[in-house]
Amino acid sequence: MTQSEPPAGTAALVEHLFRHRAGQIVATITRALGPEHLDLAEDVVQEVLVRALRRWPLHGVPERPAAWLFRAAHNLALDRLRHRSVTTRSEPEVLHHLEALATAAERPDDAPLSGELRDHQLRLVFACCHPAIAPRARVALTLKTFGGFSTEEIARSFLLKEPTVAQLIVRAKRRLREGDVTLEVPAGDDLVERLDSVLTVIYLVFNEGHVATRGDALVRLELVHESLRWLDLLLSEERLRHPRVHALAALLSLLASRLPARTDDDGRLVRLSEQDRSLWDRGLLTAGLQQLELAMEAHELSALHVQAGIAALHARARTAEETDWAAILRQYDLLETLEPTPVVRLNRAVAVWHAEGPGPALAILDGLLDEPSLQRHHWLASTRAAVLASLSRTEEAEVAYREALERVENGCERLFLEQRLGDLEKDA
């Protein structure tokens, strides 16, 4: 199945369109109405998705389903506006904007939306990342509205509980309605402040695509492609070619270059050490290394620079055995000083394992067992299980794998962990 082919089944098709087009439609309507009407735009898009679920099984799927959704959302937004007595813009102006944008609904489903519309979406991302909104709240709002993320997926990205994330989004929308927010890309100091949040959004969208929260597939290619597309849009604007943009472009390109080798022909996860590196995408790999060179030209060192440097060390190793784990560990030491988070310490433990041995790595992992932000995910338990297995502490490793299985939600990762646990039980 290619990226442009939707999954089979009406419900799956609507889910596919929600992931691919809902954010663009919301962005278009909000662009016309103003950011204070973000809730209205979201409401009409949600309603037409529900209508599609009810109507299409009975009357058939339209020839151009995405165009149908846009037209239905457009018409519903017009209807809602006609019943409102007050808007922040004059009704004729609003109607003019919406009528002009309605021509997008006539585009064939397999044609990409225009660059103008994509710019509208990016402008809305910058608007949601307004400095008047708290940093985490602005990122959560953008992921929810334009990334099509569920509250659960955002909570996983932030290592927070779902109710906490829901409150972040509510507060962000309230601030957006009440504040003097422009949809234009800002300049100067405002640009730099918003750019960091936009980069965080892009990074988190990529991460969800790189390893999906749930479902049977490990990778959601549409999110990987969307994050890379947004970076291309940023880099196409001279004023947005900041060193951190180059650094993130390097990191994501290098990580994406491995995707062809991350699963086998049956869709099963393949560990980095076992991947066929001849399958790595050479174009993305070369582009990533070039972006890293551009990022390093400026006298700046961010966490993104260091992470891209780590990815480059993996990329330059022709085989897993040639990986310079000592250099990678030094990079993680630096990263921990810039970003001392539990996830960084967890990833550093893997580098310690390969550079210094499983004993020192296990000591680090054991020190993270009481870290609340890691309790809701399988990463710590599964990493600890692998280290324990390498120390021939089989029973403890089995317990850790079972603990990881209780927390994993992605089907591909679950199958991998089950296979690892099964191998241990066979050898016991």
Side-chain angles (χ1 to χ4, degrees):
M1 179 180 293
T2 63
Q3 186 185 357
S4 61
E5 295 174 338
T10 302
L13 172 58
V14 174
E15 170 68 14
H16 172 85
L17 291 169
F18 172 74
R19 291 294 190 183
H20 283 265
R21 299 299 181 105
Q24 294 173 328
I25 300 173
V26 169
T28 302
I29 294 174
T30 308
R31 172 68 174 174
L33 303 183
E36 66 277 8
H37 290 295
L38 174 60
D39 281 335
L40 170 62
E42 287 186 302
D43 287 345
V44 298
V45 171
Q46 291 289 341
E47 185 166 334
V48 297
L49 287 167
V50 172
R51 289 182 184 181
L53 280 172
R54 293 172 178 169
R55 179 184 178 87
W56 292 356
L58 297 175
H59 302 282
V61 177
E63 183 179 349
R64 298 195 302 270
W68 186 97
L69 289 177
F70 184 92
R71 173 63 71 181
H74 160 266
N75 290 339
L76 184 58
L78 285 175
D79 185 62
R80 294 278 178 86
L81 281 175
R82 289 188 181 107
H83 288 83
R84 288 190 176 189
S85 58
V86 178
T87 63
T88 55
R89 304 182 184 187
S90 67
E91 183 169 317
E93 182 183 356
V94 171
L95 300 185
H96 170 74
H97 279 295
L98 285 175
E99 289 294 350
L101 291 167
T103 57
E106 304 303 325
R107 295 190 179 92
D109 243 14
D110 56 354
L113 296 179
S114 71
E116 181 182 15
L117 187 56
R118 288 198 299 267
D119 284 345
H120 288 170
Q121 189 175 3
L122 187 60
R123 289 176 188 277
L124 264 293
V125 170
F126 272 93
C128 284
C129 291
H130 195 281
I133 305 172
R136 262 190 174 173
R138 68 180 79 144
V139 171
L141 175 65
T142 308
L143 289 172
K144 181 73 167 62
T145 305
F146 305 112
F149 276 38
S150 67
T151 306
E152 177 190 7
E153 289 165 343
I154 300 171
R156 178 181 185 265
S157 298
F158 283 1
L159 302 180
L160 294 174
K161 296 179 179 179
E162 287 186 55
T164 303
V165 169
Q167 284 301 311
L168 285 175
I169 294 170
V170 168
R171 287 196 292 269
K173 286 183 176 180
R174 183 184 305 123
R175 191 67 186 88
L176 195 61
R177 286 194 302 269
E178 296 171 354
D180 181 16
V181 179
T182 176
L183 296 182
E184 298 303 316
V185 177
D189 293 339
D190 287 341
L191 173 64
V192 174
E193 186 171 2
R194 295 194 197 191
L195 185 59
D196 284 341
S197 292
V198 171
L199 294 181
T200 300
V201 168
I202 295 173
Y203 195 1
L204 294 178
V205 169
F206 179 89
N207 283 344
E208 178 61 25
H210 194 247
V211 181
T213 299
R214 54 176 51 193
D216 293 329
L218 179 68
V219 176
R220 292 173 56 189
L221 279 176
E222 75 276 7
L223 292 184
V224 172
H225 294 160
E226 185 73 354
S227 59
L228 293 175
R229 183 182 70 82
W230 278 10
L231 277 173
D232 284 342
L233 282 172
L234 293 179
L235 291 170
S236 70
E237 293 273 350
E238 184 176 357
R239 56 181 171 166
L240 298 178
R241 292 176 196 151
H242 193 276
R244 290 193 293 281
V245 179
H246 288 299
L248 184 59
L251 173 61
L252 301 195
S253 296
L254 291 170
L255 293 176
S257 71
R258 305 178 202 161
L259 290 180
R262 285 190 69 222
T263 54
D264 63 17
D265 292 339
D266 296 321
R268 292 175 297 192
L269 187 152
V270 180
R271 292 182 299 178
L272 177 60
S273 61
E274 298 172 351
Q275 289 178 12
D276 179 355
R277 299 188 177 211
S278 68
L279 297 177
W280 287 4
D281 188 313
R282 307 309 297 182
L284 281 172
L285 196 152
T286 300
L289 294 176
Q290 290 173 344
Q291 287 295 323
L292 181 58
E293 289 182 7
L294 292 171
M296 298 304 293
E297 288 179 358
H299 297 290
E300 176 178 331
L301 183 65
S302 68
L304 289 175
H305 284 76
V306 180
Q307 291 177 73
I310 292 170
L313 287 168
H314 284 294
R316 293 189 175 108
R318 292 175 298 176
T319 65
E321 292 72 24
E322 292 182 15
T323 304
D324 190 346
W325 282 105
I328 289 174
L329 178 56
R330 288 194 294 272
Q331 291 294 303
Y332 271 113
D333 290 340
L334 177 58
L335 182 59
E336 190 173 11
T337 65
L338 297 171
E339 200 171 76
T341 66
V343 172
V344 169
R345 291 196 291 273
L346 173 60
N347 290 328
R348 180 180 175 276
V350 176
V352 169
W353 178 16
H354 291 284
E356 299 179 356
L362 183 61
I364 296 171
L365 295 172
D366 286 348
L368 293 170
L369 287 173
D370 294 328
E371 177 55 53
S373 62
L374 297 178
Q375 297 305 308
R376 293 182 291 278
H377 305 283
H378 71 277
W379 309 319
L380 176 58
S382 59
T383 304
R384 194 166 171 273
V387 173
L388 287 166
S390 72
L391 289 167
S392 299
R393 294 165 60 172
T394 305
E395 291 185 3
E396 293 173 88
E398 290 177 359
V399 170
Y401 273 126
R402 292 191 185 95
E403 184 179 324
L405 283 166
E406 291 177 358
R407 298 174 181 176
V408 70
E409 295 184 76
N410 178 273
C412 184
E413 290 185 297
R414 172 176 293 280
L415 179 59
F416 174 79
L417 294 175
E418 288 173 343
Q419 291 172 334
R420 301 295 293 175
L421 176 58
D423 291 341
L424 280 181
E425 292 174 337
K426 287 179 185 177
D427 296 336

